Amino acid sequence: MKTHKVKFLPHDEEIVVPDGENLIRAAMEAGVHVNASCGGEGLCGKCRVLIESGRVEGGTSPLLDREDFDRGYRLACRSLVKSDLLVRIPPDSEIDAGVLDRYTVPRKAAPVQQMDFDELKSKGLFIPPVEKKYIELPQPSVMDNLADSSRVIGFLKLRYGEHRLVFWLAVLRRLPDALRAGDFKVTVTLARPVFKGRKSHIINVEPGDTTDRNFALAVDIGTTTVYGQLINLNTGEILAEYGDFNAQISYGEDVISRIMFAEKPGGLDKLHKALARTINGIIRTLIKKSHIGRDEISTITLAGNTTMSQILIKANPRYIRRAPYVPVTTLYPPIRAIDLDLHLAPHANALLYPSVSSFVGGDIVAGVMGSGIYRSDQLSLYIDIGTNAEIVIGNRDWLACAACSAGPAFEGGGITSGMRAAEGAIEDFSVHPKTLEPMNITIGNVRPRGICGSGLINIVACMFEEGIIDNLGKFNRDLKSDRIRERDGECEYVLARKEVTQGERDIVITEADIDNLIRAKGAIYSGCQTLLDEVGLSITDLDRIILAGGFGSHVDIEKAMTIGLLPEIDPDKVTYIGNGSLLGARMSSLTNRIRKDVVEVLKKITNFELSETPSYMNNYVAALFLPHTNLDLFPRLKARLKAANAAADHLAGC
Amino acid sequence: MKTHKVKFLPHDEEIVVPDGENLIRAAMEAGVHVNASCGGEGLCGKCRVLIESGRVEGGTSPLLDREDFDRGYRLACRSLVKSDLLVRIPPDSEIDAGVLDRYTVPRKAAPVQQMDFDELKSKGLFIPPVEKKYIELPQPSVMDNLADSSRVIGFLKLRYGEHRLVFWLAVLRRLPDALRAGDFKVTVTLARPVFKGRKSHIINVEPGDTTDRNFALAVDIGTTTVYGQLINLNTGEILAEYGDFNAQISYGEDVISRIMFAEKPGGLDKLHKALARTINGIIRTLIKKSHIGRDEISTITLAGNTTMSQILIKANPRYIRRAPYVPVTTLYPPIRAIDLDLHLAPHANALLYPSVSSFVGGDIVAGVMGSGIYRSDQLSLYIDIGTNAEIVIGNRDWLACAACSAGPAFEGGGITSGMRAAEGAIEDFSVHPKTLEPMNITIGNVRPRGICGSGLINIVACMFEEGIIDNLGKFNRDLKSDRIRERDGECEYVLARKEVTQGERDIVITEADIDNLIRAKGAIYSGCQTLLDEVGLSITDLDRIILAGGFGSHVDIEKAMTIGLLPEIDPDKVTYIGNGSLLGARMSSLTNRIRKDVVEVLKKITNFELSETPSYMNNYVAALFLPHTNLDLFPRLKARLKAANAAADHLAGC
C-alpha cells in the first residue's frame, strides 16, 4: 500500500498515512486539532490549511477564496493526501489550548457561587455514596468455615447493622485472595443506595485498612471541552483537576454535526471512542497529578448534554435532532465504568447525570443541583449560553426549562472574523466617539486574530450606546470614517487592518454579524420571557440570574444587558457559577442527598419546546432589536440613552 | 521458531506445535482427548500414548512399564515434541464420547422422577422469571416527546400496573432504533425479581410481536461432562439437548487436580476459558438444533459443583481444597452472561445455582430442588456418587448434607483395569460357581477394555455372594482356578485375558482394587449414617433413596446394597433422578417459585464436615466390610447369605 508522510506545522507532528487519506483525518490521527465545525463536509470553510509542499487532491469549495487557493490554501476536510506533505495550520484554523484555562476562571469579578464540602456537612447534606469500612473478621476454622462472602456480610450485619448487602462479581473474583492477603483484616467499600431500603453493593474488598484512601471522579462532558476533578471522598477536597478538548471535535464542532456524523456507518462508535479516549486521558492525568492508584477510584459521576450522554452510552442520538426530539432516556441506570470503556477498576461504578429532554441535558441538571436554585425561595434564572442556550427558571416550588437555538455567534461561529475565546481574540472594545477609531483589547494582549463571543457583545453594546449603530443593528450611514466601509450595500466596521493582525485579513464586524448576534440574543431573551409568561410571571419578577459555562464566565453583564441578551436587573444579583455541570457532578459524587434530590428535581421540572409554544415567536420578534422593542424593560439603559441624547442635543445646540 | 507436525491416530488430527511443546498440550490443542487424571504431573500414568514415528524427549515415569517403554509407549504429559510425530492414542488412554449418551439415559428400569411443566403449572409453581409483553405505544409527537425509556415504562405502569422497572444499559443502547423499527409496536422482555417488591429489569425490546419466542438455557457443569438444554419458556418444552466433555479435562481429571492447576500462573484463566469454550460449543449446537436466534435466549441457569462455579466466575478456587475448605460464596449475585464469557446477547442474564459449601455445590442444590425432597414429608436420602459423593438427607422440615471423599474407584480410577463407563467396559458380570469362569457383559457388547464403576460393584457383589471373596474383600485362598493368581502376596482374578481384550493387558480385579472399592463405599455409607446420627435418627428410618448422576443411573441397586454402598431398603423405594443438576437448572429457568425456594433451602440445610464429625470415623471403620460389620443392617442380604451357607453346608454334607 502506498503511503505518505504528512508533517504538520507549527506543531512539528509527523504521521504516515495511506495514499488518498483525508487530510483532516490525518490531522486528527496526528493529534493536531483543526477547526471543522461542519463535521468535514466542506460547508463551514473553517479548516483552511496551507500546503507548504507536496500535493493534495481536491480541497476546494465555494468557501475558499480564489486568492487563498492561489496562495496554497486548501480546506483540509476536502483534501486527499497524494504525496508527502508539509502542512501549516494557520492560527485561525487551529483550536488554542489556552481556551481551556479561560473556561475555568471567570474573568469578571462578580461573585461566584460554589457550595463546599463543609457547607454540605453543616447542612446535613453529606451522605457519602461510597463508604469504606475497616473490619477485622474472625478467622475461619473447620468449625466455622462459612463462605468468604457470608463471613463478610454476616460480620457487617452483626457489627454494623448493615442489611441488603450484595457483592459485585468483580469483588467476588478477588475476595478469597484479598481476605487472606489481609489476614482477614480488610477494608470493605460499600456503594450506598440513593433511596433507603434498597441494596448496598459491596464493590471492593482490600487487605488492611485503606479507609483513608477513597476517591471519586467528577467529569463535565462538554461538546468542545471535557473537564475532570479528582475528589477525596473523606474530605471533599479536590485533589486535582484537568481539562482537555473533546476529541470528537474532529468529527464536527457542535452537537448537530456530531449527531450527523453518528448517523454515518460506524460513526457512533467512532464518536464514543473519541469521547472515551478523552475522558481516559483526563483520568490518567488526574491520577498522575494526585499520586493515587487507579483502583482507588470507586465512582465516577459524569454530566453532559443529552447528545454527549447518549454517545457515551452508545445509544444512537439520531432522534435527538429530528422532531419531535426524543432522547433515549432521562434517567440512566447504574452502569459500571468499564462498560462505558472507561479505564477504571471493574468495581468502579459510573453515574450519568439525568437529562430533562433532548436539549436540556445532564449538564444543566447538574448546574441546577450545583447552583441550588431548586432549594431557594428566590425566583432564579439559570442560564448556560453556547450554541444552544439552556434556560432554567424557578424556585423550590417549581422549575421550567427550555433550550434556545442561539446559533454559534457566541462561540464566534457565523461571524466574519469570529473565533473562540483564545489568545488573540478581541474581548474588549471601545471606540472614540469622534474619530471612531477603535481600542481593541485581546486575550493575552497580543496581535488580534479575531473576535470572540464576549468581545462581540462588547463591540455591539459600545457601538449601540455610541450611536454608531441603531436599534436594528444598522450602521449610521451619516458617519464618516475610513473604519466604516460598504460592500454590496452592507456596512462593516474595520476593527483591525490585516497589517496589525496575526492573520492575513482585516478583522471586521459587518451588519450581517450584528444581525446574527441580535437573533442569537433575541432567541435567549425571548426564551426567558416565554418561560415566565407560561407560568404567569414577568421578566421583572426575577430575583437573580446565574450565569454558567465558559461563555457565561466571561460575558460583561452590563454589556449583555445593554444589547438585551440578559434581562436588566441589579448587576449585584447576577452570579457566575463557572462550570455548573462540573460542580453538580462533584456534589453528586460527594453525597447521596444530592442524588436523591436530582430525582425530585426531575419530577418537578417542566420542559418547554419553544418552537411549539405559541407565545415564543411573538416574544422573539419583539426581541430582535437593541435591546428590545419595549425599552421600558431596560429602565437603566433607557435612562443612559436619554442622558446621552440630551448631551448630544446639547452639543448640537452649542 | 522451529515447529513440528504432530498427527494423532486414530483421529487423524494434525497440528503444528513449537519445538519442545508438551505432547499432552498438543493433543488438547488438536482437540484429541487423552486421560490425564493427575493434571499432567506424570503421577497417574493414564496418558500412555504410542509414538509410532518421530522423537519425543522424556515421557518416562515409574508408572510406565519397561515393557511398554520398549514398545514405544510414553506418558504424553511428560513428553516434549522434538520432531514430527505420529502418535497413536491407545483406547485405554482415550475418553470415549459414547459415555455422554449413557449419562443421559438410566440403564436400569427403576422409576425416574421428573417434574414437568404441566405439573409445575398445576401446582401453581409456574412464575416465569422472564416474561415477554407485546405493547402498542402511542407515537411521540411534539406535544408528547417523552424520552423513549419513559414512554415504555409509563405505558407498562398505566396498562399493566408494572412498577419498579429498570432498563439495562444494553437495551437502552438499542431502544431508539428498536422502537422505530417496530413503529412503536414492540415486545418488551422483563426479568422478574425472585422476591416481590424488588425491581423488574427490562432486558430487551424488540420490534413487533415476538412473545412466542422466549427461550432459556439450563446447563449442568460437571467436572467431566457438561450438558445443556434449550427450553421454550412459553411451554416448558425442551427444544434441544446436548452434552460434551468439559474441555478442562486436559488439565486434570478431578476437581482437586483442577484446583491445583488453577494455582499455577495463568491456570485459573485457562480453566475458565476451557469451560466457557465448552459451554459456548453446547450453546452453538443447541441453537443450531432448535433453529432459534442466539439473541432470543434471555436467560441461562447453570449448576455445577463449587469448584466449577468458582472457575466459571474466575474466583480462585485455591481455598476449597485446603482446610478449613472455604468457598468464595454460596449465593451468586445476578451476572450478565457475557461477563462469564458466554456467547449470548448482552441482555442475557446468567443465574448460577448457589452452593452449600466447598464440597456440596450448586449441582447438588439443583438436585435437591429438582427432586423436590425439600417439599416432601418423607425422609429421603439424595445421593450423587462420583469421585466425591454428595449426600443430602432430610425432608420438608430439615436438611443435612455432607460430601464424602470416595476416591475415583466409581469412575474406574485407582482400579488396575478401571475405566470410565464407555464402550468396552465390563458392566455386568457373573461367575460360574464351580469353574469360577466369568461371564462379562460389556457396554456395546464389544471386546472388553476394562471395568467401569458399576461393573466393579457387580463383580465384587457377585464374588462376595459366591464366597470367592470374604467380607474383608480377600480371595478365598482355597479356591483353585487359573483365573485366580497371586502376585507379591496379593490375589487377583483375571476377568479377560489380553488375547480377548481390545488392549494389550489382562483385565483383572485385585485385592487392592476391592479394598479401594470397600473404602469408597464405606465412606459413603458411613456418611449417610453419620448425618442421621447427628439428627438422632437411624439408617432404617429412611423412606426413600434418590440416586442422581451418571454413575447413579447405572448402578444395580441390589448389588449396591449387597456390597453395603447403599443402605438396604425396599428397592422399589429407590428412584433414579438422572442428571439432577440439569433438572434443577431447568426448573429454576422455568419458574421463580423454585428460585425463591432455593433461598429457603439454603437457610434450612446444615452442612457437616465429616472429617470434623467425631462419630464419622467410627462409622467409617464399621463400614469397611462387605457389606458392614453389623450385618443386621442388611436383613435381606443376611437371609440370602444364610440360605447360601445352608445350601453349601447341605452340598458339603452330601
Side-chain angles (χ1 to χ4, degrees):
Chain A
M1 193 176 56
K2 219 164 123 190
T3 59
H4 307 295
K5 273 188 231 166
V6 182
K7 185 168 194 165
F8 292 95
L9 299 175
H11 314 73
D12 220 32
E13 294 287 349
E14 194 168 281
I15 191 169
V16 175
V17 299
D19 182 62
E21 175 67 303
N22 186 303
L23 186 54
I24 206 161
R25 202 68 70 217
M28 186 191 69
E29 287 293 317
V32 170
H33 285 295
V34 177
N35 282 329
S37 61
C38 65
E41 302 276 359
L43 302 176
C44 71
K46 290 277 183 188
C47 60
R48 279 166 70 247
V49 297
L50 181 62
I51 310 297
E52 293 201 345
S53 76
R55 191 169 60 84
V56 298
E57 197 175 287
T60 61
S61 144
L63 292 169
L64 189 71
D65 292 0
R66 178 74 213 181
E67 193 187 328
D68 275 354
F69 184 84
D70 290 345
R71 280 154 63 205
Y73 281 96
R74 296 292 181 275
L75 295 186
C77 74
R78 309 281 288 173
S79 303
L80 306 182
V81 179
K82 301 304 287 180
S83 76
D84 288 358
L85 294 181
L86 193 60
V87 180
R88 182 172 296 275
I89 313 297
D92 51 348
S93 294
E94 200 194 344
I95 296 169
D96 179 352
V99 65
L100 291 171
D101 298 331
R102 268 180 66 82
Y103 282 2
T104 48
V105 185
R107 162 190 168 224
K108 300 286 177 186
V112 173
Q113 160 145 355
Q114 291 269 0
M115 176 165 285
D116 67 14
F117 187 68
D118 293 330
E119 195 179 337
L120 282 177
K121 270 193 164 165
S122 71
K123 289 190 177 169
L125 295 178
F126 184 62
I127 308 161
V130 177
E131 215 176 319
K132 278 192 164 188
K133 279 194 193 300
Y134 171 66
I135 55 178
E136 300 192 350
L137 295 164
Q139 300 258 353
S141 67
V142 179
M143 299 317 294
D144 164 23
N145 64 354
L146 281 177
D148 287 338
S149 67
S150 311
R151 181 169 306 276
V152 172
I153 287 176
F155 188 88
L156 288 169
K157 198 167 177 176
L158 197 74
R159 197 63 66 93
Y160 293 100
E162 293 283 350
H163 289 282
R164 301 203 173 196
L165 295 170
V166 183
F167 267 95
W168 274 27
L169 177 63
V171 192
L172 276 186
R173 285 182 172 153
R174 284 180 286 118
L175 184 61
D177 293 324
L179 285 179
R180 286 157 188 91
D183 205 23
F184 288 84
K185 298 177 184 68
V186 293
T187 303
V188 176
T189 308
L190 298 169
R192 296 299 190 186
V194 171
F195 294 96
K196 274 197 178 168
R198 303 274 173 90
K199 289 172 186 161
S200 288
H201 293 265
I202 300 179
I203 62 170
N204 204 9
V205 173
E206 299 162 293
D209 185 350
T210 66
T211 46
D212 60 337
R213 315 273 312 160
N214 194 12
F215 305 101
L217 286 168
V219 175
D220 158 53
I221 307 169
T223 311
T224 308
T225 48
V226 180
Y227 287 94
Q229 290 180 333
L230 188 88
I231 300 152
N232 183 338
L233 283 178
N234 289 325
T235 62
E237 192 188 350
I238 299 167
L239 296 179
E241 47 191 331
Y242 185 66
D244 197 0
F245 286 108
N246 186 335
Q248 292 178 344
I249 232 166
S250 312
Y251 299 108
E253 217 159 310
D254 55 28
V255 287
I256 297 302
S257 52
R258 303 273 170 88
I259 295 175
M260 285 166 66
F261 189 84
E263 293 178 26
K264 298 179 185 176
L268 175 57
D269 197 52
K270 279 183 189 154
L271 289 173
H272 168 81
K273 283 195 178 128
L275 179 52
R277 195 166 63 237
T278 303
I279 300 173
N280 286 329
I282 291 171
I283 294 174
R284 196 166 50 242
T285 305
L286 291 175
I287 287 172
K288 210 169 160 186
K289 275 180 151 186
S290 50
H291 308 290
I292 69 153
R294 191 176 288 268
D295 289 359
E296 295 182 307
I297 297 169
S298 43
T299 175
I300 178 169
T301 304
L302 305 114
N305 63 48
T306 309
T307 301
M308 290 302 119
S309 300
Q310 270 187 230
I311 290 173
L312 184 62
I313 70 161
K314 273 196 270 189
N316 186 351
R318 176 185 178 89
Y319 309 103
I320 288 180
R321 80 172 182 107
R322 289 185 161 73
Y325 318 112
V326 178
V328 63
T329 193
T330 51
L331 281 165
Y332 294 89
I335 300 173
R336 299 183 308 176
I338 54 171
D339 287 337
L340 300 177
D341 300 320
L342 302 182
H343 297 164
L344 288 172
H347 68 261
N349 61 19
L351 180 88
L352 251 79
Y353 242 101
S355 56
V356 177
S357 63
S358 276
F359 295 109
V360 180
D363 50 346
I364 302 306
V365 177
V368 167
M369 305 315 294
S371 68
I373 64 168
Y374 73 101
R375 285 201 309 271
S376 167
D377 289 325
Q378 291 196 309
L379 181 60
S380 306
L381 163 64
Y382 178 95
I383 184 164
D384 190 335
I385 301 171
T387 305
N388 272 310
E390 295 93 354
I391 305 167
V392 185
I393 295 182
N395 56 28
R396 66 186 319 144
D397 299 320
W398 61 272
L399 291 161
C401 68
C404 318
S405 182
F410 297 119
E411 289 175 348
I415 303 298
T416 312
S417 300
M419 67 178 284
R420 287 178 183 278
E423 198 171 78
I426 297 173
E427 62 169 350
D428 248 333
F429 172 85
S430 69
V431 63
H432 191 278
K434 292 220 167 118
T435 65
L436 304 189
E437 280 302 300
M439 183 172 155
N440 297 318
I441 296 178
T442 62
I443 298 174
N445 295 316
V446 295
R447 280 174 169 232
R449 279 171 51 197
I451 305 168
C452 66
S454 56
L456 185 65
I457 291 169
N458 293 346
I459 292 164
V460 172
C462 177
M463 288 183 163
F464 175 59
E465 286 216 45
E466 293 298 339
I468 299 170
I469 56 175
D470 62 16
N471 67 351
L472 288 166
K474 300 298 172 200
F475 282 93
N476 180 347
R477 258 68 176 171
D478 298 337
L479 295 173
K480 298 290 166 233
S481 159
D482 57 358
R483 288 278 166 186
I484 300 178
R485 63 192 186 199
E486 204 170 320
R487 250 208 266 195
D488 306 332
E490 195 188 73
C491 275
E492 64 184 27
Y493 176 91
V494 183
L495 283 97
R497 298 206 172 80
K498 67 178 174 192
E499 297 79 35
V500 303
T501 72
Q502 291 184 43
E504 289 151 350
R505 298 163 163 197
D506 293 343
I507 295 173
V508 300
I509 180 164
T510 69
E511 287 179 340
D513 295 339
I514 299 170
D515 196 45
N516 270 343
L517 178 68
I518 290 177
R519 278 185 283 121
K521 74 94 192 168
I524 292 172
Y525 188 90
S526 53
C528 299
Q529 212 173 11
T530 306
L531 283 191
L532 287 160
D533 285 353
E534 292 295 315
V535 295
L537 292 170
S538 141
I539 207 124
T540 52
D541 294 321
L542 284 174
D543 293 318
R544 58 173 184 157
I545 296 176
I546 296 168
L547 284 170
F551 177 77
S553 297
H554 293 86
V555 74
D556 183 312
I557 293 167
E558 293 275 11
K559 299 279 166 56
M561 291 177 187
T562 299
I563 67 161
L565 165 61
L566 294 179
E568 194 182 80
I569 69 171
D570 178 354
D572 290 343
K573 292 181 175 168
V574 181
T575 317
Y576 296 105
I577 200 178
N579 189 333
S581 169
L582 188 60
L583 175 62
R586 180 162 70 92
M587 283 173 60
S588 274
S589 74
L590 277 177
T591 171
N592 268 358
R593 173 55 198 267
I594 297 293
R595 294 164 68 185
K596 195 172 161 187
D597 285 353
V598 170
V599 179
E600 293 308 308
V601 163
L602 274 194
K603 285 182 191 159
K604 205 180 284 178
I605 199 163
T606 308
N607 183 60
F608 286 87
E609 293 295 337
L610 292 179
S611 58
E612 302 301 315
T613 309
S615 59
Y616 181 61
M617 192 44 74
N618 292 337
N619 286 329
Y620 176 61
V621 170
L624 290 180
F625 293 84
L626 294 173
H628 195 271
T629 341
N630 180 3
L631 197 56
D632 291 334
L633 289 168
F634 296 80
R636 288 189 297 117
L637 174 62
K638 190 177 175 181
R640 284 206 306 280
L641 290 175
K642 205 171 163 184
N645 280 338
D649 288 349
H650 176 74
L651 281 174
C654 286
Chain B
M1 194 178 53
K2 218 162 121 191
T3 59
H4 307 297
K5 272 187 230 164
V6 182
K7 185 169 196 165
F8 292 96
L9 298 176
H11 314 73
D12 220 33
E13 294 286 350
E14 195 168 280
I15 189 169
V16 175
V17 299
D19 181 61
E21 174 67 301
N22 187 303
L23 186 54
I24 206 161
R25 203 69 70 217
M28 186 191 69
E29 286 292 318
V32 171
H33 285 295
V34 176
N35 282 329
S37 59
C38 65
E41 300 277 359
L43 302 177
C44 72
K46 290 278 183 188
C47 60
R48 280 167 68 246
V49 297
L50 181 62
I51 309 298
E52 292 200 347
S53 76
R55 192 169 62 82
V56 299
E57 198 174 285
T60 61
S61 143
L63 291 170
L64 189 71
D65 292 358
R66 178 73 213 183
E67 195 187 329
D68 276 353
F69 184 84
D70 290 343
R71 280 153 64 205
Y73 281 96
R74 297 291 181 275
L75 294 185
C77 73
R78 309 281 286 173
S79 304
L80 306 182
V81 179
K82 299 305 287 182
S83 76
D84 288 357
L85 293 182
L86 193 60
V87 181
R88 182 171 296 274
I89 313 298
D92 52 347
S93 292
E94 199 194 343
I95 296 169
D96 177 352
V99 64
L100 293 172
D101 298 330
R102 268 179 67 81
Y103 282 1
T104 48
V105 185
R107 163 188 167 226
K108 299 288 176 183
V112 173
Q113 160 146 356
Q114 291 269 1
M115 178 168 283
D116 68 15
F117 188 67
D118 292 328
E119 195 180 337
L120 282 177
K121 271 194 164 165
S122 72
K123 289 190 177 170
L125 295 177
F126 185 62
I127 308 160
V130 178
E131 215 177 320
K132 280 191 162 190
K133 280 194 193 301
Y134 171 67
I135 55 177
E136 300 191 349
L137 295 164
Q139 300 259 355
S141 66
V142 178
M143 297 319 290
D144 163 23
N145 64 354
L146 280 177
D148 287 338
S149 67
S150 310
R151 182 168 307 276
V152 172
I153 287 177
F155 189 87
L156 288 170
K157 198 167 176 175
L158 197 73
R159 198 63 66 92
Y160 293 101
E162 293 283 350
H163 289 281
R164 301 202 174 197
L165 295 170
V166 184
F167 268 95
W168 274 28
L169 177 62
V171 193
L172 276 186
R173 284 180 173 155
R174 283 180 287 119
L175 184 61
D177 293 324
L179 285 179
R180 286 155 188 91
D183 205 23
F184 289 85
K185 297 176 184 69
V186 292
T187 303
V188 176
T189 307
L190 299 169
R192 296 299 190 184
V194 171
F195 294 96
K196 276 197 176 167
R198 303 275 172 90
K199 290 173 186 161
S200 289
H201 293 265
I202 300 179
I203 63 170
N204 204 7
V205 173
E206 298 162 293
D209 185 350
T210 66
T211 47
D212 62 336
R213 316 271 314 158
N214 194 10
F215 306 101
L217 286 168
V219 176
D220 158 53
I221 307 169
T223 311
T224 308
T225 49
V226 180
Y227 288 95
Q229 290 180 334
L230 187 87
I231 299 152
N232 182 337
L233 283 177
N234 289 325
T235 63
E237 194 187 349
I238 299 168
L239 296 179
E241 47 191 331
Y242 186 66
D244 197 0
F245 286 106
N246 185 333
Q248 291 179 344
I249 235 168
S250 312
Y251 299 109
E253 217 159 309
D254 55 28
V255 287
I256 297 303
S257 52
R258 303 272 170 87
I259 296 175
M260 285 167 66
F261 188 85
E263 293 178 27
K264 297 179 184 176
L268 175 57
D269 197 52
K270 280 182 189 154
L271 289 173
H272 168 81
K273 282 193 178 130
L275 179 52
R277 196 166 63 235
T278 303
I279 299 173
N280 286 329
I282 291 171
I283 293 173
R284 197 166 50 240
T285 305
L286 291 175
I287 286 172
K288 211 170 160 186
K289 275 180 150 187
S290 50
H291 308 290
I292 69 154
R294 192 177 287 270
D295 287 1
E296 295 182 306
I297 297 168
S298 43
T299 173
I300 179 168
T301 305
L302 305 115
N305 63 49
T306 309
T307 302
M308 290 301 118
S309 301
Q310 269 186 234
I311 290 173
L312 184 62
I313 69 162
K314 273 196 270 187
N316 185 353
R318 175 186 178 88
Y319 309 102
I320 288 180
R321 80 172 182 106
R322 288 185 162 72
Y325 317 112
V326 178
V328 63
T329 193
T330 52
L331 281 164
Y332 294 88
I335 300 172
R336 299 183 308 174
I338 53 171
D339 287 337
L340 299 177
D341 300 320
L342 301 183
H343 296 164
L344 288 172
H347 68 261
N349 60 19
L351 180 87
L352 252 78
Y353 243 101
S355 56
V356 177
S357 62
S358 277
F359 296 109
V360 179
D363 50 346
I364 302 306
V365 177
V368 167
M369 305 315 293
S371 68
I373 64 168
Y374 73 101
R375 285 201 309 272
S376 167
D377 288 325
Q378 292 197 307
L379 181 59
S380 306
L381 163 64
Y382 178 96
I383 184 165
D384 190 334
I385 301 172
T387 306
N388 273 310
E390 294 93 355
I391 305 167
V392 185
I393 294 181
N395 56 29
R396 66 184 319 142
D397 299 319
W398 60 272
L399 292 160
C401 67
C404 318
S405 181
F410 296 120
E411 289 175 349
I415 304 298
T416 313
S417 300
M419 66 178 284
R420 286 178 185 277
E423 199 172 76
I426 297 172
E427 62 168 351
D428 248 332
F429 172 85
S430 71
V431 64
H432 191 278
K434 291 224 168 115
T435 65
L436 304 189
E437 281 301 299
M439 184 172 155
N440 296 317
I441 296 177
T442 61
I443 297 174
N445 295 316
V446 295
R447 280 177 170 231
R449 281 169 52 196
I451 305 168
C452 66
S454 57
L456 185 64
I457 292 169
N458 293 346
I459 293 163
V460 172
C462 178
M463 288 183 164
F464 175 57
E465 286 217 44
E466 292 298 337
I468 297 171
I469 55 175
D470 61 16
N471 67 350
L472 289 166
K474 300 299 173 199
F475 282 94
N476 180 348
R477 258 70 176 169
D478 297 336
L479 294 173
K480 296 292 165 233
S481 159
D482 58 358
R483 288 277 165 187
I484 300 176
R485 64 193 185 197
E486 203 171 322
R487 251 208 265 193
D488 306 331
E490 195 189 70
C491 277
E492 64 185 27
Y493 176 91
V494 183
L495 284 97
R497 298 206 172 81
K498 67 179 173 192
E499 296 79 34
V500 304
T501 70
Q502 292 184 42
E504 288 151 350
R505 296 165 163 195
D506 293 343
I507 296 172
V508 299
I509 179 164
T510 69
E511 287 180 337
D513 295 340
I514 299 170
D515 195 48
N516 270 343
L517 178 68
I518 290 177
R519 277 184 281 122
K521 75 92 193 170
I524 292 172
Y525 188 91
S526 53
C528 299
Q529 211 172 12
T530 306
L531 284 190
L532 286 160
D533 286 353
E534 292 294 316
V535 294
L537 291 170
S538 142
I539 207 125
T540 54
D541 293 321
L542 284 175
D543 293 317
R544 58 173 184 158
I545 297 176
I546 296 168
L547 284 170
F551 177 76
S553 298
H554 291 86
V555 75
D556 182 313
I557 294 166
E558 292 275 11
K559 299 278 166 57
M561 291 177 186
T562 300
I563 67 161
L565 165 61
L566 294 179
E568 193 182 81
I569 69 170
D570 178 356
D572 290 345
K573 293 182 172 164
V574 181
T575 317
Y576 297 105
I577 200 177
N579 189 332
S581 169
L582 187 60
L583 175 63
R586 180 162 69 92
M587 285 174 57
S588 274
S589 73
L590 279 176
T591 171
N592 267 359
R593 173 56 199 267
I594 298 292
R595 294 163 68 185
K596 196 172 162 189
D597 286 354
V598 171
V599 179
E600 293 309 308
V601 163
L602 275 193
K603 285 182 190 157
K604 207 181 281 179
I605 200 163
T606 310
N607 183 59
F608 286 88
E609 294 293 337
L610 292 179
S611 58
E612 302 302 315
T613 310
S615 59
Y616 180 61
M617 193 42 76
N618 293 336
N619 286 331
Y620 177 61
V621 171
L624 291 180
F625 294 84
L626 293 173
H628 195 270
T629 342
N630 180 4
L631 197 55
D632 292 335
L633 289 167
F634 296 80
R636 288 189 297 116
L637 174 62
K638 190 177 174 183
R640 284 206 305 281
L641 290 176
K642 205 172 162 185
N645 279 338
D649 288 348
H650 176 73
L651 280 175
C654 286

